[in-house]
Amino acid sequence: MASALEVTNVVKSFNGARRALDGVSLELREGEVLGLLGPNGAGKSTLVRTIMGRVAVASGEVRIFGRPAPSGDSAAREHVGFVPQEIALYPLLTARENLMVFGRYQRLGGDALDAAIREALEWSALSERADEQTKTLSGGMKRRLNMAAGVLHKPRVLLLDEPTVGVDPQSRERIYAMIETLRGGGVSLIYTTHYMEEAERLCDRIAVIDHGRIIALGTKDELVRSTIGVRREIIIETTDGQRLTQLIDKADEMLPLMKGVEARGLAVRDVTLRVPTLEKVFLHLTGRELRE
């Protein structure tokens, strides 16, 4: 699979302090969603800003579709879009007016801009609210409009920085559908999130960054196998309060264990089967909660 984005041995320090990026290398393949996970202060934001060309690095290289993209080279990043975590909209303008402004920032105009706005409003399910002031929209609607503003120029690479923060479940599902539409259209995405379930659901591969380094990269199953292992944990609770825990390889090993407990004269009250999760992988790798 061809590379949409390549980050190679990038180093960045601020004011001579600890390195924010310490030899980061990363590849985003065409048409994939790559999750970027890390504790606060791990280097996620600096890496995203580096890819966007907003941070000049001490060494290393960023390539976009094979083309070197030094800091300040806007032409090399013309195929890249960015949706920030903060709502970056004009509250007194309508949704349509916001998109018109952001489209002009992307040097769109005329019929091309009008068509891009119509498509973005439909994609974000905001067509019926297009002429309402943005300040009157719900938090979820503002999030979707924020995303729409970031894709008007039809980027081939999109950086999404926690796009579902603070939204209701219905809006979150709509955002997931929007992302799947982008993926289906061949857009390559880097997706930062604090929600492990989002990373498991949306991302083809996951990169874990900590202390300015990529410490793990792969699919969820690959990360599980290389860290905590694929064995499942069965927890059997008995009516007299005992709690028995054992690791098993297959779910069909549960029944013999339960029969063994009953053969000891104990009655089973509850059985829990825990499968390896991305959260456990993250804690194993970093020793920290994602929100720390």
Side-chain angles (χ1 to χ4, degrees):
M1 187 180 295
S3 297
L5 170 72
E6 295 172 277
V7 178
T8 307
N9 296 324
V10 166
V11 174
K12 174 62 182 179
S13 298
F14 291 102
N15 301 321
R18 177 180 59 85
R19 289 180 172 180
L21 299 178
D22 190 9
V24 169
S25 293
L26 191 69
E27 177 197 20
L28 174 65
R29 300 166 183 167
E30 285 195 48
E32 83 165 336
V33 179
L34 177 65
L36 183 61
L37 306 182
N40 290 335
K44 298 189 303 295
S45 296
T46 303
L47 178 56
V48 168
R49 284 156 49 204
T50 297
I51 295 170
M52 290 300 300
R54 298 175 181 174
V55 169
V57 299
S59 60
E61 183 180 53
V62 175
R63 285 180 171 267
I64 299 170
F65 294 105
R67 180 178 176 179
S71 177
D73 184 353
S74 58
R77 289 178 169 81
E78 63 183 2
H79 298 300
V80 180
F82 175 53
V83 178
Q85 178 182 344
E86 300 79 15
I87 300 294
L89 300 169
Y90 297 101
L92 299 182
L93 298 183
T94 67
R96 190 189 310 277
E97 289 168 341
N98 264 285
L99 295 179
M100 184 171 296
V101 169
F102 282 98
R104 288 173 177 167
Y105 289 162
Q106 296 293 344
R107 294 178 292 181
L108 298 175
D111 292 341
L113 176 56
D114 291 340
I117 290 173
R118 285 195 301 271
E119 185 175 340
L121 288 170
E122 182 178 352
W123 172 65
S124 58
L126 291 171
S127 297
E128 294 184 358
R129 310 295 293 271
D131 298 311
E132 297 181 23
Q133 281 188 314
T134 299
K135 68 177 183 179
T136 68
L137 301 179
S138 69
M141 290 177 182
K142 290 176 184 175
R143 285 278 169 200
R144 281 147 44 199
L145 183 59
N146 212 40
M147 291 179 63
V151 301
L152 283 168
H153 63 302
K154 300 189 185 306
R156 296 170 62 192
V157 172
L158 183 62
L159 311 178
L160 287 174
D161 190 5
E162 301 190 37
T164 64
V165 169
V167 305
D168 59 88
Q170 184 177 10
S171 288
R172 184 175 292 117
E173 287 296 325
R174 180 63 209 182
I175 289 172
Y176 293 162
M178 292 165 66
I179 292 168
E180 291 297 344
T181 299
L182 291 172
R183 187 213 301 260
V187 178
S188 307
L189 297 102
I190 289 183
Y191 190 96
T192 74
T193 180
H194 276 93
Y195 302 121
M196 291 293 183
E197 64 273 16
E198 286 192 352
E200 292 196 30
R201 173 174 175 173
L202 297 173
C203 300
D204 301 298
R205 292 186 302 146
I206 295 156
V208 180
I209 186 171
D210 197 19
H211 299 297
R213 298 181 179 181
I214 301 296
I215 60 174
L217 176 63
T219 66
K220 179 220 169 180
D221 290 343
E222 289 170 346
L223 295 180
V224 166
R225 284 196 298 270
S226 65
T227 55
I228 61 176
V230 297
R231 302 189 76 189
R232 306 173 186 184
E233 182 182 44
I234 182 173
I235 302 170
I236 300 175
E237 297 183 23
T238 64
T239 54
D240 65 350
Q242 293 189 50
R243 182 183 173 96
L244 309 173
T245 302
Q246 185 167 328
L247 293 176
I248 61 176
D249 293 308
K250 299 178 181 179
D252 57 12
E253 297 176 32
M254 292 175 57
L255 186 57
L257 287 174
M258 294 169 61
K259 288 182 176 179
V261 169
E262 292 172 346
R264 292 159 52 189
L266 301 172
V268 175
R269 183 182 67 185
D270 190 30
V271 178
T272 303
L273 183 64
R274 294 179 177 172
V275 299
T277 65
L278 188 57
E279 183 171 7
K280 289 184 178 179
V281 170
F282 186 89
L283 291 173
H284 176 85
L285 289 169
T286 69
R288 294 185 280 174
E289 295 282 354
L290 192 58
R291 291 179 176 82
E292 285 184 2

